[in-house]
Amino acid sequence: MQTVTVLGATGSIGCNTLDVIGRHPEKYRLFAITGYGQLELLMEQAQQYAPRYVVVADEALYEKACELAQQYKVDAEVLCGSQALQDVASAPEVDAVMAAIVGAAGLLPTLAAVKAGKRVLLANKEALVMSGALFIDAANQSGAKILPIDSEHNAIFQCLPQDFVYGDLASSGIHKILLTGSGGPFRERDLSTFSSITIDEASTHPNWSMGRKITIDSATMMNKGLEFIEACWLFGAKAGDIEVVVHPQSIIHSMVQYIDGSVIAQMGNPDMRTPIAYGLAHPQRIDAGVSPLNFSDIVNFSFQTPCFTRYPNLKLAIDACKDGQCATTRLNAANEIAVEHFLDGRIQFNDIALVNEAVLNALPSVTVNSIQQILEQDSLARAKATDIIRGKFLC
Ligand code: NAD
Ligand code: MG
């Protein structure tokens, strides 16, 4: 029996995680679930899955959450705030933590789980993009096991040899990691019409159902850029070891190409319950509720090279990855602000990459060696992005 905390339980990954856990009550019990808004959903989840704690990230919602807990007859204790998120991620009773808060807000609770040596199911790619070496060092020190939940990284993890040594791709005979991505909803759209892309169009992914922010990141391919950085840290790869391949059908979730000419791919229907179940049960396999892939249903199975004119954010992220920690932290922060402004209807789709680039160009590079410095760079880049948007796009 594993005791699990689900950070970001009300989100897309969080709901899928609870769905898989609910299929195996004899294997998993919940210690805590957390959410930001959506208190009704959080209390419904508490009612159904009976965790010991329900954590509301926003302290201002504490009283309302307590009232709702009574109304929903929830037995769990209600906690609130940032420290409570870290506490339920690192409590001694917890075996595994699903890190599924979106964005930089997930950094501290995810790190708390890593430092406490938990089995960390990492969906919150932004945490790793922001803190890279510090995150990996903390896992090495505590003995935390990081299991990639992002479907691509989960696929790569499944395609690597069992004796793979972190950072040593050559000794495993690996030629390249092939990171696949669908190309999003605008893969074939006329480039001259990008400025008129609506929020609804950008919020509709052809293959995956996901949270709002990652859906926009998938449309700009910033998501693939963040995943490029994530893959470098997860496997100790260098930028030159990874190639992005556009695969519109999202059947192959990524591949590893070996020096003998073999390519090992992981496939399946696009359903996040597969990597979640793999992360929960590894090294075993459990039923995830995912329908089997039926090859006779696959009409097209195609691949392309991504075009940086269409996806400038992908290029920015690959360049930032080569540049180092300061650049990737700033890019992630700038992008969160730019996406937020796009979703609020204040800037255009094209402007997201322009804001990101302008932030990276406006700030001189510095060395970051601590979480404190990372948080400072995150704040600096957010402030700069906000200034740039006010000055350049909203005047
Ligand atoms: P989502 O927006 O659906 O859910 C986000 C969760 O985080 C919610 O529970 C929300 O309440 C919580 N949250 C939001 N802001 C918060 C804050 N300030 N403090 C604390 N909690 C906060 O997002 P999602 O699509 O489930 O994605 C979650 C993470 O998983 C992201 O990092 C994303 O990149 C990654 N991921 C998602 C998918 C997917 O299929 N959805 C796939 C791969 C990776
Ligand atoms: Mg992914």
Side-chain angles (χ1 to χ4, degrees):
M1 177 68 92
Q2 273 191 65
T3 305
V4 185
T5 282
V6 181
L7 301 170
T10 52
S12 164
I13 292 286
C15 291
N16 278 313
T17 304
L18 294 181
D19 180 274
V20 177
I21 285 179
R23 291 166 191 274
H24 304 280
E26 73 297 349
K27 283 190 161 60
Y28 307 103
R29 81 173 142 237
L30 280 169
F31 181 75
I33 57 173
T34 85
Y36 189 72
Q38 292 184 284
L39 294 186
E40 281 83 2
L41 174 58
L42 190 63
M43 293 307 159
E44 277 167 27
Q45 292 179 333
Q47 219 179 29
Q48 188 177 348
Y49 294 98
R52 256 172 72 185
Y53 297 98
V54 176
V55 184
V56 184
D58 184 354
E59 292 184 20
L61 296 177
Y62 178 66
E63 279 179 20
K64 185 166 178 228
C66 290
E67 277 168 28
L68 279 173
Q70 279 199 334
Q71 204 178 308
Y72 280 76
K73 300 192 171 45
V74 165
D75 281 337
E77 189 175 332
V78 179
L79 305 173
C80 74
S82 155
Q83 186 57 49
L85 290 176
Q86 296 179 52
D87 292 345
V88 296
S90 58
E93 298 93 322
V94 173
D95 302 307
V97 175
M98 166 55 80
I101 291 175
V102 60
L107 177 65
L108 294 180
T110 304
L111 263 185
V114 171
K115 286 183 185 158
K118 304 301 183 197
R119 182 183 174 95
V120 179
L121 280 57
L122 184 71
N124 179 209
K125 66 193 83 180
E126 296 92 341
L128 186 55
V129 166
M130 286 176 79
S131 66
L134 290 163
F135 188 110
I136 299 297
D137 288 351
N140 287 337
Q141 270 179 26
S142 69
K145 186 164 177 57
I146 311 295
L147 290 148
I149 298 303
D150 218 340
S151 58
E152 296 76 4
H153 306 75
N154 190 274
I156 294 161
F157 187 69
Q158 294 195 43
C159 297
L160 288 174
Q162 291 222 325
D163 60 357
F164 174 72
V165 177
Y166 182 87
D168 193 359
L169 280 68
S171 75
S172 290
I174 295 169
H175 173 58
K176 278 243 158 95
I177 289 174
L178 303 177
L179 184 68
T180 56
S182 71
F186 309 129
R187 189 174 47 84
E188 292 184 320
R189 182 170 173 133
D190 182 348
L191 278 175
S192 67
T193 68
F194 266 43
S195 57
S196 63
I197 286 172
T198 65
I199 299 170
D200 279 353
E201 286 172 330
S203 302
T204 312
H205 194 278
N207 307 331
W208 296 94
S209 156
M210 307 180 285
R212 263 160 72 90
K213 190 246 175 192
I214 186 177
T215 302
I216 304 303
D217 283 350
S218 298
T220 65
M221 270 190 106
M222 174 55 90
N223 183 47
K224 211 48 54 187
L226 297 177
E227 290 180 356
F228 189 99
I229 301 163
E230 182 187 14
C232 285
W233 287 117
L234 279 174
F235 307 113
K238 297 191 177 52
D241 297 326
I242 303 177
E243 190 178 320
V244 176
V245 178
V246 174
H247 166 49
Q249 297 79 26
S250 301
I251 298 294
I252 290 181
H253 301 309
S254 277
M255 305 179 255
V256 177
Q257 186 165 49
Y258 289 87
I259 48 173
D260 62 0
S262 302
V263 179
I264 301 188
Q266 188 266 353
M267 293 183 237
N269 281 317
D271 188 323
M272 287 309 292
R273 291 176 300 176
T274 297
I276 290 168
Y278 189 83
L280 281 168
H282 179 265
Q284 289 166 353
R285 303 260 180 186
I286 52 170
D287 171 32
V290 178
S291 52
L293 184 59
N294 184 351
F295 281 86
S296 52
D297 287 347
I298 302 172
V299 180
N300 291 312
F301 204 56
S302 57
F303 304 91
Q304 296 165 6
T305 304
C307 160
F308 289 145
T309 315
R310 183 170 294 274
Y311 304 114
N313 267 331
L314 177 60
K315 170 126 181 29
L316 284 178
I318 293 173
D319 288 347
C321 184
K322 292 176 186 162
D323 230 40
Q325 190 63 76
C326 176
T328 59
T329 303
R330 287 174 178 168
L331 178 62
N332 178 65
N335 184 60
E336 284 191 29
I337 295 294
V339 169
E340 212 175 280
H341 280 74
F342 170 70
L343 284 170
D344 286 346
R346 284 176 282 172
I347 63 172
Q348 293 177 348
F349 184 79
N350 279 345
D351 298 336
I352 299 173
L354 295 176
V355 171
N356 292 340
E357 187 175 14
V359 170
L360 290 177
N361 289 340
L363 300 168
S365 188
V366 296
T367 308
V368 283
N369 288 322
S370 67
I371 292 299
Q372 185 54 37
Q373 288 169 337
I374 281 171
L375 294 173
E376 280 165 19
Q377 290 309 315
D378 176 81
S379 301
L380 185 69
R382 281 169 198 272
K384 185 50 90 182
T386 309
D387 279 355
I388 288 169
I389 290 170
R390 282 204 191 113
K392 200 167 168 181
F393 300 104
L394 299 182
C395 53

